[in-house]
Amino acid sequence: MKVVNLKQAILQAWKERWSDYQWAINIKKNFPKGATWDYLNLAEALLEQAMIGPSPNPLILSYLKYAISSQMVSYSSVLTAISKFEDFSRELCVKSLLEIMDMFCHCLSCHGKAEECMGLCRALLGVVVWLLQGCAWYCERLRELGPSASTEASLKACQERLHSLMNSTKNQALVHIARLEDQGSWGSIEQAVLKVTDGISSVPKQTLRTNLEESLSLVKGIPLMLSVQSDPPPSASFPSVHAFIMLEGTMNLTGETQPLVEQLMMIKRMQQIPAPLFVLEIWKACFTGLIESPEGTEELKWTAFTFLKIPQVLLRLKKYPQSDKGQDFMEEVNIAFQYLLKLTPLLDKADQRCNCDCLGMLLQECNKIGLLSDSNTTSLTSKREFAPRLKTAENANIQPNPGLILRAEPTVTNILKTVDADHSKSPEGLLGVLGHMLSGKSLDLLLAAAAATGKLKSFARKFIKLNEFPKHIIGEGSKSASVRALLFDISFLMLCHVVQTYGSEVILSDPSPSGETPFFETWLQTCMPEEGKTLNPDHPCFRPEPGKVESLVTLLNSSSEMKLVQVKWHEICLSTPAAILEVLNAWENGVLSVEAVQKITDNIKGKVCSMAVCAVAWLVAHVRMLGRDEREKPQTMIRQLVTPLYGENTLQFYNERVIIMSSIMEHMCADVFPQTGANLRPPEEGQDPIPYRNLLPTKEPIHKALSKQFQAVLRKGWVDSRALHLFESLLNMGGVFWFTNNLVKELLKETRQEWANRVVQLLYSIFCLDIQQISLTLLGTILPNLLTDSAHWHRLADPPGKALAKLSVWCALSSYSSHHKGSFSARQRRRQREDIEVTST
């Protein structure tokens, strides 16, 4: 009787055109209290009345949407009502039902008794059957009537909802529970899957067919859920170790080995990780970083980290007491490699990426330094199950990076000895060595090997000394003048490349041993643009003596070729910005034509590329200070300077030098050109974008970007290189307090023990971006705020409260240890303490 009355009430509301909230108020007044709307089948009654005609009744549908939003009806009752609709020919009705599902299917949940929760499982299974039946019906219609845009649209809509539902592990688990509760119900899903499979061939669009097949595979995988999870990997996962190694490999290749070893040992002790699983997690992170690194310099850095630095880290770990039942560390490394051998897909992917047997080379390297015995190395090598590797004609002749990196290490030592020798009498021999270093990717290989073995600072210091050498001129001919110009140019370009690849700390962290500051250090600090560094184009460093500037402008504007004899190149480089300003002013005032400016820029980059780099460095600083409409001519000059000049009178190694020059300039301009939507080069000529630059979303608040990225990391269970760079950008932009406070809020959202523990491990590794300042903020500001305000106490209940306590202890221990030993990493020194204090207050 109540159901009849309910239908009459719905009809009366429709006749009198009640709004949705008027309907809700009246219906609650006229029906007895205590009776649940699910018991009265409100959702089913509303849908039945709304779907009477060929198209849905919008007013009655609005009543249902209001009932869903105000939680008058449960999600399970709505899904059950939807799954009873059978006439798929009424496409508008189907579309409306799918839109109703979109209101809540992304957040399916149930608060109530066990039976109500089981009802949600059954309803979800029923709606999956309904979506499959819809897909099958539309496939059949396409087969009978041929291609139809409306039918394809309806099929696509059903497929998208099916994929969205089944792409969630939680939803798959709910359907699996319903299947176990009622074995017979799964038969209807299997029948519907068969019908869709039979009809897929009728779908004209390949993309839609592929998407349907993916959705079906998700449904078919539900019965296998328990069997997949019942065979766990040989080790538990330790996200903190994985993420910390990713952080070091991505951002701190130049860091000293000992602080890294001590930090790893602290993580191992804090979490009581068994040594074999600890070593396994390190190798897993190394292979993951190697696989996902962008091609080019980043890939070489990860290769050097994996094959040169980590074996040395493990060698030092060997000297620490492991307290694992007195087992020999070499045996534990052997067990870790045995576990790693079982991760065949990871090893295959790494082999495919590097085009070589990565594990085999790693085993040989570990054997060489005494981490593995000969017998264990042979045994492990024989157990590797080789998958077919792609060796196409295109890459068969390319030597694999691991082999090149391992060979580059001794080469670095030889080059350091060569550069250290006295070349004042015959510098030509040294020039040959430098020219060889510039060819191909030799320079990046040598720098990566030097960085991984702790020799990069020595490398940079030697080249700063070499850059100073051409200052001393004693009666020279044209040949020796060109050699001197090339020594200055190549060393200058190499040092710029080092700074852009590994950070200015490599050069600035150790002051010059002599009393006088070398030219390159001065220029780097005052004139070179870097990410996050703003220069003043009117700084005195850009304004040398007027006489020198005037003579340089005259020289650049003349048609005669630039002479090299008796030229002081460091003075020329310091005068170039002022000369460029004169040229720019002349062009903007109509004194010079575009052709004349092109001739001047050709003269600048024609012989010594360092001049062009200095010119672009000032132009970038100048452009930053200009409005959008004033940037056209300076940006045109930058483009002219970036474009190589292929002439006959260029100095030796010009092609090699100009490649590095262009790369340096692209890094300098990376933040300037995107501001106005302009391109440094035409798109077809441009190379791949610079990795990890401009990661912050342009139209999204940074707190949303932080939450979104952290949730993505949490779902995945580990932090990748891109995420780490984004977190660092957000830390720099928002400040330490903002960054830490928002991530602590993410931790306090977690109400399940296992997820709270995972968040702690991930947050600890992310906090290692600047562990000392973040720990000070966490312990000195955020925790006291939470503990002294009773409004926050409910958030500190177990498990999130206990997890926060654990995170705080871990951060305090690590921060105290690193502060006590003075082991700052380069990336932590990069953040000025004054800036941190400002952002934290």
Side-chain angles (χ1 to χ4, degrees):
M1 189 63 196
K2 286 177 182 175
V3 174
V4 173
N5 290 340
L6 189 59
K7 288 182 180 177
Q8 288 174 351
I10 294 168
L11 287 172
Q12 184 184 350
W14 172 68
K15 286 174 185 174
E16 296 180 14
R17 297 294 187 267
W18 291 349
S19 65
D20 48 12
Y21 67 88
Q22 282 177 320
W23 167 80
I25 292 168
N26 288 329
I27 205 164
K28 285 176 183 176
K29 280 180 185 175
N30 295 318
F31 278 83
K33 292 179 181 178
T36 64
W37 297 109
D38 282 359
Y39 174 73
L40 297 172
N41 287 331
L42 176 60
E44 189 176 334
L46 284 168
L47 269 184
E48 190 179 318
Q49 294 300 317
M51 300 294 165
I52 288 174
S55 61
N57 185 314
L59 186 60
I60 297 179
L61 276 185
S62 73
Y63 299 160
L64 177 59
K65 289 176 182 177
Y66 189 90
I68 294 169
S69 301
S70 60
Q71 297 184 353
M72 286 173 66
V73 292
S74 66
Y75 296 150
S76 57
S77 67
V78 179
L79 291 175
T80 303
I82 288 172
S83 61
K84 290 182 179 178
F85 183 81
E86 295 178 346
D87 191 356
F88 290 103
S89 63
R90 289 192 280 165
E91 292 178 356
L92 291 173
C93 291
V94 172
K95 184 182 177 185
S96 296
L97 293 175
L98 295 174
E99 286 171 357
I100 288 170
M101 284 176 60
D102 291 341
M103 291 177 66
F104 57 85
C105 277
H106 62 283
C107 57
L108 281 176
S109 60
C110 181
H111 304 283
K113 299 173 185 174
E115 182 52 39
E116 290 168 3
C117 296
M118 192 57 70
L120 178 62
C121 298
R122 284 193 288 263
L124 191 56
L125 186 143
V127 91
V128 169
V129 173
W130 181 76
L131 287 168
L132 285 167
Q133 288 172 343
C135 291
W137 193 91
Y138 291 119
C139 285
E140 182 63 21
R141 189 166 182 177
L142 286 170
R143 188 180 66 78
E144 291 174 356
L145 304 177
S148 162
S150 63
T151 306
E152 284 182 35
S154 298
L155 174 59
K156 185 182 177 187
C158 288
Q159 177 272 321
E160 285 174 350
R161 270 57 171 207
L162 179 64
H163 188 274
S164 177
L165 273 179
M166 291 295 95
N167 203 31
S168 160
T169 309
K170 183 186 83 173
N171 290 346
Q172 284 186 323
L174 293 176
V175 174
H176 189 62
I177 290 167
R179 171 181 170 271
L180 296 175
E181 183 70 13
D182 180 8
Q183 293 287 345
S185 63
W186 189 252
S188 54
I189 280 196
E190 290 176 330
Q191 288 175 11
V193 166
L194 282 173
K195 285 182 181 177
V196 178
T197 307
D198 292 341
I200 276 183
S201 56
S202 311
V203 180
K205 290 184 179 174
Q206 177 61 40
T207 311
L208 187 51
R209 280 205 302 272
T210 306
N211 292 342
L212 271 170
E213 286 166 357
E214 284 179 12
S215 301
L216 290 179
S217 67
L218 289 172
V219 176
K220 290 175 186 175
I222 290 172
L224 306 173
M225 286 187 76
L226 288 182
S227 61
V228 168
Q229 294 189 2
S230 64
D231 183 20
S235 71
S237 179
F238 300 99
S240 55
V241 180
H242 192 288
F244 183 71
I245 291 294
M246 292 296 289
L247 179 67
E248 289 293 314
T250 302
M251 295 184 174
N252 205 25
L253 180 61
T254 56
E256 294 176 17
T257 305
Q258 192 56 32
L260 169 57
V261 171
E262 289 171 1
Q263 190 77 6
L264 282 169
M265 276 308 296
M266 178 163 285
I267 294 172
K268 181 178 181 294
R269 286 172 185 151
M270 286 191 302
Q271 298 183 41
Q272 299 178 336
I273 307 172
L277 302 185
F278 178 65
V279 176
L280 170 66
E281 202 66 40
I282 292 173
W283 287 131
K284 278 165 62 180
C286 287
F287 278 103
T288 306
L290 197 58
I291 290 163
E292 64 148 24
S293 58
E295 284 188 26
T297 309
E298 293 299 319
E299 185 182 353
L300 292 177
K301 285 161 78 171
W302 262 106
T303 308
F305 183 76
T306 303
F307 289 88
L308 292 178
K309 189 165 188 174
I310 289 298
Q312 290 301 321
V313 167
L314 292 179
L315 193 60
R316 294 200 191 189
L317 283 171
K318 181 182 176 182
K319 297 171 186 174
Y320 282 77
Q322 301 297 322
S323 69
D324 285 357
K325 302 173 188 175
Q327 198 167 14
D328 180 39
F329 188 70
M330 285 177 69
E331 185 54 35
E332 286 163 341
V333 171
N334 178 42
I335 295 168
F337 273 119
Q338 287 179 15
Y339 286 149
L340 187 62
L341 277 167
K342 296 179 182 178
L343 304 177
T344 309
L346 180 72
L347 298 177
D348 288 349
K349 191 82 175 171
D351 287 358
Q352 194 176 28
R353 176 71 195 266
C354 298
N355 211 11
C356 66
D357 176 16
C358 290
L359 184 66
M361 296 182 82
L362 205 51
L363 292 171
Q364 292 299 327
E365 197 63 22
C366 289
N367 173 245
K368 194 188 300 180
I369 62 173
L371 281 172
L372 280 173
S373 65
D374 293 343
S375 57
N376 284 341
T377 304
T378 308
S379 171
L380 289 165
T381 306
S382 64
K383 287 178 184 175
R384 170 78 171 109
E385 296 175 9
F386 284 102
R389 292 194 299 275
L390 298 177
K391 278 206 168 186
T392 59
E394 188 179 316
N395 65 7
N397 297 324
I398 300 173
Q399 290 182 296
N401 284 334
L404 292 172
I405 281 286
L406 291 171
R407 287 204 295 277
E409 188 205 356
T411 310
V412 169
T413 309
N414 293 335
I415 287 173
L416 289 174
K417 288 177 184 175
T418 305
V419 175
D420 230 10
D422 183 13
H423 297 282
S424 54
K425 293 180 181 176
S426 57
E428 292 84 359
L430 179 58
L431 190 59
V433 174
L434 298 182
H436 180 70
M437 284 175 66
L438 292 176
S439 61
K441 57 181 179 183
S442 298
L443 180 59
D444 283 327
L445 276 165
L446 292 167
L447 292 179
T453 52
K455 295 173 185 168
L456 188 61
K457 286 184 181 179
S458 175
F459 201 89
R461 188 57 54 202
K462 296 280 190 291
F463 278 88
I464 285 176
K465 187 179 174 184
L466 183 62
N467 188 252
E468 291 290 291
F469 171 71
K471 279 186 179 180
H472 311 292
I473 309 167
I474 305 168
E476 62 179 2
S478 58
K479 185 178 179 183
S480 58
S482 64
V483 170
R484 191 171 57 83
L486 281 169
L487 287 176
F488 175 86
D489 197 39
I490 293 172
S491 58
F492 184 91
L493 293 172
M494 282 183 176
L495 288 166
C496 286
H497 187 64
V498 167
V499 168
Q500 289 184 337
T501 310
Y502 295 98
S504 53
E505 299 81 13
V506 172
I507 289 168
L508 300 177
S509 57
D510 292 335
S512 178
S514 61
E516 185 185 353
T517 306
F519 159 71
F520 185 80
E521 282 188 34
T522 307
W523 183 84
L524 168 60
Q525 288 177 295
T526 53
C527 306
M528 183 172 177
E530 291 182 86
E531 189 177 9
K533 174 178 167 184
T534 305
L535 298 173
N536 175 11
D538 299 322
H539 191 278
C541 71
F542 293 121
R543 299 285 178 271
E545 296 172 26
K548 292 179 181 178
V549 176
E550 197 173 319
S551 60
L552 179 59
V553 171
T554 307
L555 182 65
L556 293 172
N557 201 25
S558 67
S559 55
S560 60
E561 188 180 327
M562 183 180 282
K563 293 178 181 177
L564 307 175
V565 179
Q566 299 292 318
V567 173
K568 294 183 178 179
W569 289 109
H570 61 287
E571 289 184 3
I572 291 286
C573 283
L574 289 174
S575 303
T576 300
I580 284 289
L581 176 59
E582 294 293 325
V583 172
L584 186 60
N585 287 337
W587 186 18
E588 287 176 340
N589 292 315
V591 177
L592 290 176
S593 64
V594 180
E595 292 75 19
V597 173
Q598 179 73 63
K599 187 182 79 172
I600 290 169
T601 54
D602 286 351
N603 282 337
I604 290 173
K605 67 191 176 187
K607 295 282 186 186
V608 178
C609 296
S610 311
M611 286 178 66
V613 171
C614 293
V616 169
W618 178 82
L619 281 166
V620 166
H622 180 64
V623 166
R624 281 182 184 278
M625 302 298 167
L626 301 177
R628 180 169 183 151
D629 298 335
E630 302 170 298
R631 292 186 172 194
E632 184 183 348
K633 287 184 177 176
Q635 287 185 340
T636 302
M637 287 186 80
I638 291 174
R639 288 194 191 93
Q640 289 174 349
L641 288 163
V642 169
T643 310
L645 178 70
Y646 296 107
E648 295 177 3
N649 298 322
T650 54
L651 285 175
Q652 198 177 0
F653 307 120
Y654 182 75
N655 290 349
E656 291 84 355
R657 285 184 291 128
V658 91
I659 289 170
I660 298 179
M661 178 195 81
S662 298
S663 168
I664 292 165
M665 291 178 178
E666 282 178 14
H667 277 80
M668 286 180 171
C669 300
D671 299 329
V672 172
F673 275 78
Q675 291 174 355
T676 54
N679 290 318
L680 184 58
R681 299 170 181 268
E684 64 272 13
E685 293 178 21
Q687 298 174 334
D688 294 335
I690 299 168
Y692 310 130
R693 290 293 282 268
N694 303 314
L695 292 178
L696 290 174
T698 51
K699 296 182 180 179
E700 189 177 44
I702 57 170
H703 72 88
K704 280 191 180 176
L706 180 63
S707 178
K708 190 174 171 182
Q709 183 60 63
F710 183 73
Q711 288 302 320
V713 162
L714 183 58
R715 283 194 302 274
K716 192 157 59 168
W718 55 279
V719 190
D720 59 27
S721 301
R722 186 185 180 281
L724 284 168
H725 279 275
L726 180 54
F727 282 132
E728 188 184 43
S729 299
L730 289 164
L731 171 60
N732 292 333
M733 178 168 280
V736 178
F737 174 79
W738 173 87
F739 184 79
T740 313
N741 193 41
N742 279 287
L743 286 177
V744 167
K745 286 177 184 175
E746 294 294 328
L747 169 58
L748 295 178
K749 288 178 187 176
E750 296 303 331
T751 54
R752 289 164 57 191
Q753 185 71 52
E754 62 271 29
W755 283 87
N757 287 337
R758 181 187 283 189
V759 171
V760 169
Q761 296 210 31
L762 292 171
L763 280 186
Y764 170 75
S765 306
I766 294 166
F767 285 175
C768 285
L769 283 165
D770 195 347
I771 191 69
Q772 292 199 8
Q773 292 303 316
I774 287 175
S775 298
L776 286 172
T777 304
L778 177 64
L779 300 171
T781 309
I782 294 169
L783 273 184
N785 288 348
L786 289 169
L787 293 170
T788 55
D789 186 349
S790 58
H792 296 306
W793 289 353
H794 68 282
R795 299 164 65 194
L796 298 177
D798 193 26
K802 188 176 178 181
L804 180 58
K806 184 193 286 187
L807 176 65
S808 303
V809 171
W810 286 7
C811 288
L813 279 170
S814 296
S815 184
Y816 175 76
S817 172
S818 61
H819 180 72
H820 186 63
K821 296 187 174 82
S823 54
F824 286 103
S825 72
R827 66 174 178 279
Q828 288 173 9
R829 274 194 295 267
R830 196 184 312 155
R831 291 176 51 74
Q832 298 298 317
R833 294 287 168 260
E834 305 92 322
D835 295 344
I836 291 165
E837 287 167 13
V838 169
T839 53
S840 300
T841 53

